[in-house]
Amino acid sequence: MMGKWEAKLKQIEERASCYERKPLSSVYRPRLSKPEDPSSVWKLFHRQNQAFNFVKSCKENVHVFALECKVGDGQRIYLVTTYAQLWFYYKSRKHLLHCYEVIPENAVCKLYFDLEFNKHANPEADGKKMVVLLIEHVCKALQELYSVSCSAEDVFNLDSSTDEKFSRHLIFQLHDVAFKDNIHVGNFVRKILQPALHLISSEYDNRIPNPVGHEFSHFPETPLKQEISFNQTSPDKDIAKSWTLNSEIPERLESAEQSSPDLSFLVVKSNTGEEHLFVDLGVYTRNRNFRLYKSSKIGKCVALEVAEDNKFFPKQSKNISEENQYFLSSLVSNIRFSDSLRILTCDTSQNKRKRTEHVNSTSSSETIEGFQCSPYPEIDRFVLSLVTKNDTKGGIRRWNYFFPEELLVYDICRYRWCQNIGRAHKSNNIMIVVDLKNEVWYQKCHDPVCKAENFKSDCFPLPAEVSLLFLFKEEEFTADETWNSEAKNPGASSDTDWDNSTDDVYFLQATEDAELAEAAENSLLSYTSAVNEIPDELIIEVLQE
DNA sequence: CAGCGCTACCACACCCC
DNA sequence: GGTGTGGTAGCG
């Protein structure tokens, strides 16, 4: 035991001295080149953190990929480049044979599945049929929980089977729909597969109370989990409770349609004879590595290829080859912005409770605002001025930047005035969308009714000072060393704030989490606690539960 | 010189009947 | 025996 600690300590000391010798020398300082120069980005890192920090400092729309090293022990290095450039070197399949997409935490992503079973242990299992049934079940659940319509033709079906193993990846190509991040995808998948989980573990049967008597509600604000007390000291128990709560919804839906879905086809045996699910539930963790189309694991020579029963065919394009289209479709975190993009969420009630607790404990303090700034403090201030009328002082809950369209989307809190209905919403928040390209702003909102009609307010011009500042941002760019103190104090921002801005602006989805992570970079020890302190309140999309 | 993020599992301590 | 805690091996 002591040896472990000593080894760890030594490791940390070594790293510390390494950082001292080369203090953040990898901070990327782009030249002030013309924007139309398509400068190439191709950079390797030994550490995932460094790769993501580089992405943030990079003005191109780049992504992190993991490459398996020659040594067969699962060691990886991290490549940062654009999708286009990766494909250019990747397509010949002479290099980059064992490549993984890193699905970034907190990034919007597609619904995806990793499916597998051992053929010898399940001689009677018909893999293709199981895929068909699973897709049917998932589509039905998407319809019932989110009113999202899709079918097998929207599911990119990739095969990596061997004689030993049936193995597939499914990547759902939903139209104008994405999940908030892959943690939410995991919550959704576990939720809709609960009937199958019951079949495996009889323990669950004892824990789940009869749902009769609970009212079904589409809204998470409904206090239907009031009876559950918060139990800080027992995380395991908490999880069990959240399962219990989540199980209420599918069971009620089942009873509503007079038939409970038979998910017994999902139960397979492992080579040791234990019962498992056909669906691998272990692929929904932060920064999950997901093998790329046409890549193989390092020890094996079986790559992911389009399955023979795949029914998804990407749109033909003049500029992009069909193979490239398949490649782009296979990328879980490759989400194109569209004006009507819907972000689906699926929280465990455990997380919801945590968030509510946190809001309750901090909402009165000043600290929240400090973390709610985007890299554009001037625009933040303008947006805040828009959501301040009389006594109502709105705030910025979080912001997203969409690279190709140059859109800043602000989620507003404490101010719900909606131009569509001419009054404030009772329980749904609004958004302010800032279009940097066209120098206008408009309002949208999270209310299901407004969403259903795809409401978007008239466009209003951005004030001259905001537009002008944006024009000058390239010139004003300098290296940033003063980020920490500035970011936590947006009110006192000066023009040096633009130094920070260029860091995060081109990130597909930058949240306060990402900012904090960077803020804590100089202090590795404070990283965890800082992230835990992020104030985060109720969910955006409210169609689930 | 150099991966990452979990979860299942174990050993142990404490508590209560 | 039940329950919580801290630490680790090993899986994906």
Side-chain angles (χ1 to χ4, degrees):
Chain A
M1 181 132 94
M2 251 357 243
K4 266 249 143 54
W5 271 106
E6 278 162 12
K8 198 133 234 170
L9 201 64
K10 191 149 173 272
Q11 202 187 340
I12 290 169
E13 279 167 357
E14 266 170 21
R15 197 167 300 172
S17 81
C18 168
Y19 282 135
E20 266 170 35
R21 272 180 281 120
K22 299 165 68 181
L24 294 175
S25 57
S26 64
V27 170
Y28 179 63
R29 293 165 198 208
R31 295 176 305 112
L32 291 178
S33 55
K34 294 191 190 96
E36 59 265 28
D37 284 355
S39 52
S40 72
V41 179
W42 188 275
K43 216 162 149 58
L44 291 166
F45 299 87
H46 282 288
R47 303 289 176 168
Q48 185 180 261
N49 255 339
Q50 296 175 337
F52 275 114
N53 285 334
F54 176 71
V55 167
K56 276 185 266 176
S57 76
C58 210
K59 98 192 173 79
E60 289 82 4
N61 193 10
V62 290
H63 305 270
V64 180
F65 302 89
L67 315 176
E68 267 180 322
C69 300
K70 297 274 186 302
V71 280
D73 62 350
Q75 242 178 56
R76 286 164 195 207
I77 55 169
Y78 300 90
L79 165 67
V80 175
T81 189
T82 58
Y83 290 152
Q85 212 173 335
L86 180 79
W87 180 248
F88 181 82
Y89 293 106
Y90 184 83
K91 62 186 175 193
S92 72
R93 302 316 297 122
K94 287 176 185 156
H95 322 279
L96 305 165
L97 294 178
H98 320 293
C99 233
Y100 296 75
E101 172 186 12
V102 181
I103 304 166
E105 58 181 307
N106 303 315
V108 289
C109 69
K110 300 174 189 173
L111 172 60
Y112 63 101
F113 289 87
D114 180 21
L115 310 175
E116 59 179 48
F117 64 81
N118 184 296
K119 285 180 178 173
H120 305 306
N122 301 274
E124 73 297 336
D126 179 349
K128 282 187 194 171
K129 181 131 185 245
M130 289 156 74
V131 170
V132 169
L133 291 173
L134 174 68
I135 291 174
E136 269 176 24
H137 178 65
V138 174
C139 290
K140 210 165 157 190
L142 283 169
Q143 184 63 248
E144 285 172 357
L145 293 171
Y146 301 105
S147 305
V148 167
S149 301
C150 65
S151 69
E153 280 126 66
D154 305 309
V155 182
F156 192 19
N157 188 342
L158 290 166
D159 192 354
S160 191
S161 299
T162 61
D163 291 341
E164 296 275 304
K165 224 167 75 170
F166 180 90
S167 171
R168 296 287 177 100
H169 282 187
L170 304 182
I171 297 107
F172 278 62
Q173 316 290 321
L174 302 174
H175 313 294
D176 296 334
V177 172
F179 274 82
K180 187 178 170 194
D181 59 39
N182 72 331
I183 304 297
H184 286 260
V185 173
N187 293 339
F188 168 75
V189 172
R190 280 184 291 268
K191 182 191 195 102
I192 67 169
L193 297 187
Q194 259 208 337
L197 287 163
H198 284 243
L199 297 172
I200 292 173
S201 166
S202 56
E203 245 193 332
Y204 278 94
D205 300 337
N206 305 329
R207 288 190 190 167
I208 296 196
N210 189 343
V212 169
H214 289 281
E215 284 308 310
F216 180 85
S217 169
H218 284 286
F219 304 102
E221 291 92 338
T222 313
L224 93 152
K225 38 259 331 168
Q226 293 278 321
E227 73 279 14
I228 305 296
S229 63
F230 186 63
N231 186 347
Q232 275 182 309
T233 52
S234 170
D236 286 340
K237 217 174 183 175
D238 257 19
I239 289 162
K241 279 176 184 168
S242 69
W243 278 110
T244 304
L245 289 167
N246 284 337
S247 73
E248 291 172 50
I249 282 81
E251 290 192 15
R252 280 196 65 91
L253 286 171
E254 289 155 24
S255 62
E257 65 198 38
Q258 304 296 327
S259 67
S260 107
D262 178 17
L263 297 185
S264 55
F265 69 94
L266 289 173
V267 178
V268 293
K269 287 203 168 64
S270 71
N271 30 12
T272 54
E274 290 160 296
E275 288 194 325
H276 280 281
L277 283 196
F278 177 42
V279 178
D280 182 354
L281 297 175
V283 297
Y284 305 109
T285 54
R286 293 175 172 82
N287 300 319
R288 161 66 40 180
N289 290 191
F290 211 51
R291 189 147 53 92
L292 287 187
Y293 175 48
K294 290 194 178 292
S295 265
S296 60
K297 287 184 188 169
I298 194 154
K300 318 268 170 68
C301 52
V302 184
L304 278 159
E305 299 288 353
V306 179
E308 59 172 349
D309 52 335
N310 167 60
K311 295 194 175 62
F312 166 75
F313 303 101
K315 274 195 205 128
Q316 294 289 358
S317 160
K318 279 177 196 153
N319 311 322
I320 307 171
S321 72
E322 190 182 29
E323 277 296 285
N324 193 0
Q325 289 278 34
Y326 274 123
F327 172 71
L328 292 169
S329 303
S330 78
L331 294 163
V332 171
S333 41
N334 180 22
I335 300 286
R336 301 294 300 182
F337 179 85
S338 90
D339 197 30
S340 47
L341 181 69
R342 289 174 54 200
I343 307 295
L344 307 183
T345 64
C346 187
D347 258 318
T348 62
S349 46
Q350 185 193 9
N351 289 340
K352 274 185 218 166
R353 194 166 48 232
K354 267 187 192 158
R355 267 205 300 265
T356 322
E357 290 253 317
H358 207 268
V359 167
N360 290 343
S361 64
T362 55
S363 58
S364 56
S365 79
E366 298 290 314
T367 54
I368 287 184
E369 312 307 325
F371 297 110
Q372 310 304 304
C373 56
S374 82
Y376 292 96
E378 282 77 9
I379 301 180
D380 293 354
R381 276 199 293 279
F382 169 64
V383 168
L384 285 175
S385 78
L386 291 174
V387 297
T388 302
K389 298 266 160 73
N390 305 325
D391 289 342
T392 324
K393 217 177 151 208
I396 295 167
R397 220 193 91 224
R398 83 200 284 270
W399 56 274
N400 286 314
Y401 184 74
F402 292 91
F403 176 83
E405 295 77 13
E406 297 180 42
L407 284 179
L408 259 172
V409 182
Y410 288 89
D411 277 346
I412 302 303
C413 56
R414 301 190 300 275
Y415 180 90
R416 292 172 166 171
W417 181 269
C418 171
Q419 297 180 39
N420 191 29
I421 57 173
R423 59 170 173 82
H425 283 294
K426 289 193 177 68
S427 52
N428 289 290
N429 287 312
I430 63 155
M431 292 174 263
I432 300 289
V433 183
V434 176
D435 182 337
L436 297 174
K437 206 184 273 172
N438 300 311
E439 296 176 13
V440 295
W441 69 273
Y442 53 89
Q443 179 238 318
K444 295 191 66 153
C445 85
H446 290 293
D447 178 78
V449 179
C450 294
K451 252 182 168 0
E453 62 184 76
N454 198 16
F455 165 72
K456 174 185 164 184
S457 80
D458 292 335
C459 291
F460 302 97
L462 292 174
E465 65 268 24
V466 171
S467 300
L468 283 174
L469 274 161
F470 180 62
L471 279 178
F472 290 138
K473 78 176 173 62
E474 289 292 330
E475 275 79 353
E476 297 194 13
F477 182 87
T478 55
D480 70 313
E481 302 296 349
T482 54
W483 197 87
N484 279 347
S485 54
E486 295 284 337
K488 286 177 183 162
N489 196 0
S493 66
S494 61
D495 48 358
T496 54
D497 275 340
W498 288 110
D499 306 347
N500 320 326
S501 69
T502 17
D503 270 24
D504 281 344
V505 168
Y506 297 97
F507 206 34
L508 170 67
Q509 183 176 44
T511 66
E512 58 271 25
D513 306 38
E515 292 182 75
L516 269 177
E518 183 170 334
E521 198 199 342
N522 291 334
S523 163
L524 289 172
L525 288 174
S526 71
Y527 177 80
T528 313
S529 62
V531 168
N532 287 341
E533 281 168 29
I534 295 160
D536 193 357
E537 22 159 52
L538 299 167
I539 9 179
I540 308 174
E541 187 108 344
V542 169
L543 290 160
Q544 181 264 322
E545 290 212 343

